[in-house]
Amino acid sequence: MPGTSEDILMGFKLNWMNLRDADNGKIMWQGSEDLSLPDKEHEARVPKKILKCRSVSREINFSSAEKMEKFRLEQKVVFKGKILEEWYFDFGFVIPNSTNTWQSLIEAAPESQMMPASVLNGNVIIETRFFDGDLLVSTSKVRIFYV
């Protein structure tokens, strides 16, 4: 029997995450706060030079006590309340009581559409919705500060 969203969330932990320049593999930012927790607005201080990358590789390491048939994420980049970008990522089956590492590639918007870090700083929220198939498990929000 599939777990409820509460069961899945109670047994889910985002252990760590990093962002790399996908061209050279250099880690631009890393953190170990559980950014999946829904009860607060999280903050991340990311180097502004990440905005110059053509693509960014995001690597997350997570643990799950519960089995998930179709683990996936939906992310929205929200600037002052307006959605700028939406991304969809599918992981698939998650073994119960497992720890997993998931790497995804995020392509940058064309340079002509990029806003400067000074404008984005503190005004961007990444809203991530965690799903098992169509079951919403959690929604987290991370405010981005470019340093």
Side-chain angles (χ1 to χ4, degrees), residues 84-97:
L84 295 183
E85 293 184 82
E86 290 184 81
W87 302 316
Y88 303 92
F89 303 96
D90 293 307
F91 182 84
F93 184 78
V94 175
I95 298 169
N97 299 308

Side-chain angles (χ1 to χ4, degrees), residues 47-61:
K48 58 187 166 194
K49 61 184 172 186
I50 202 164
L51 296 171
K52 303 285 185 202
C53 296
R54 291 185 310 156
S55 56
V56 172
S57 169
R58 179 192 59 208
E59 190 173 20
I60 62 174
N61 180 275

Side-chain angles (χ1 to χ4, degrees), residues 69-136:
E69 295 291 337
K70 295 178 183 166
F71 181 49
R72 63 187 184 87
L73 305 179
E74 293 181 1
Q75 289 189 305
K76 294 178 183 173
V77 179
V78 181
F79 174 73
K80 294 183 175 181
K82 180 183 173 206
I83 298 170
L84 295 183
E85 293 184 82
E86 290 184 81
W87 302 316
Y88 303 92
F89 303 96
D90 293 307
F91 182 84
F93 184 78
V94 175
I95 298 169
N97 299 308
S98 65
T99 297
N100 306 273
T101 301
W102 181 10
Q103 192 169 28
S104 303
L105 191 65
I106 301 166
E107 298 288 332
E111 195 170 342
S112 63
Q113 295 177 17
M114 292 294 273
M115 288 186 262
S118 60
V119 173
L120 297 170
N121 189 40
N123 293 313
V124 171
I125 294 176
I126 308 288
E127 180 184 290
T128 304
R129 297 184 343 143
F130 298 81
F131 290 90
D132 181 14
D134 293 329
L135 177 68
L136 177 63

